[in-house]
Amino acid sequence: MNIVISNSGGQPIYEQIVTQIKNMILSGKLQQGDALPSMRLLAKELRISVITTKRAYEELEREGFIVSYTGKGSFVARQNMDMIREQQQKEVEEHLSLAARKARAMGISLEELTEILALLYGDEVR
């Protein structure tokens, strides 16, 4: 599993793991039923504490992204397509919210921002 940990971003390591595994599931790189590395193996590969990987897996399970079975391991949960879409939409909204705040702070009008978004999205400006 290709997870990259950064010590410079200020985001806790367990959150970085959660975010990256969620992204792999949402993008289809990890499919329903795929096995995740054991907590110990992932901790060893990332050179972090098992407690950190345990916390990440517990968070993923709480959010419904994985299921864990004692003695068998952790697996990608059966995904509800509505949940996946909602999660993806939430991410887009967070990015757009940041863009809107920055645009407002820089004096860019809603009309100009809409035009920029339309260009970036690939549609013709109306």
Side-chain angles (χ1 to χ4, degrees), residues 30-121:
L30 286 174
Q31 301 283 320
Q32 173 185 332
D34 285 353
L36 272 61
S38 71
M39 291 178 208
R40 291 182 195 280
L41 178 61
L42 185 60
K44 184 179 177 183
E45 287 176 356
L46 298 176
R47 295 187 175 107
I48 59 173
S49 165
V50 174
I51 294 169
T52 303
T53 56
K54 183 178 189 301
R55 185 171 180 190
Y57 278 30
E58 286 172 348
E59 179 73 19
L60 288 163
E61 191 163 15
R62 191 172 26 259
E63 292 184 25
F65 283 90
I66 67 170
V67 290
S68 298
Y69 303 101
T70 304
K72 291 185 178 180
S74 298
F75 303 85
V76 176
R78 190 175 117 131
Q79 295 299 307
N80 175 332
M81 291 311 289
D82 291 334
M83 182 184 82
I84 291 173
R85 179 136 175 87
E86 183 68 30
Q87 180 71 24
Q88 290 171 332
Q89 187 172 340
K90 180 182 171 193
E91 271 187 56
V92 170
E93 287 171 0
E94 288 171 1
H95 289 288
L96 289 174
S97 177
L98 176 63
R101 284 194 306 273
K102 285 186 176 187
R104 188 177 298 119
M106 295 174 60
I108 296 173
S109 71
L110 176 58
E111 194 172 271
E112 290 172 302
L113 183 60
T114 304
E115 206 171 296
I116 292 167
L117 181 59
L119 286 169
L120 294 173
Y121 194 77

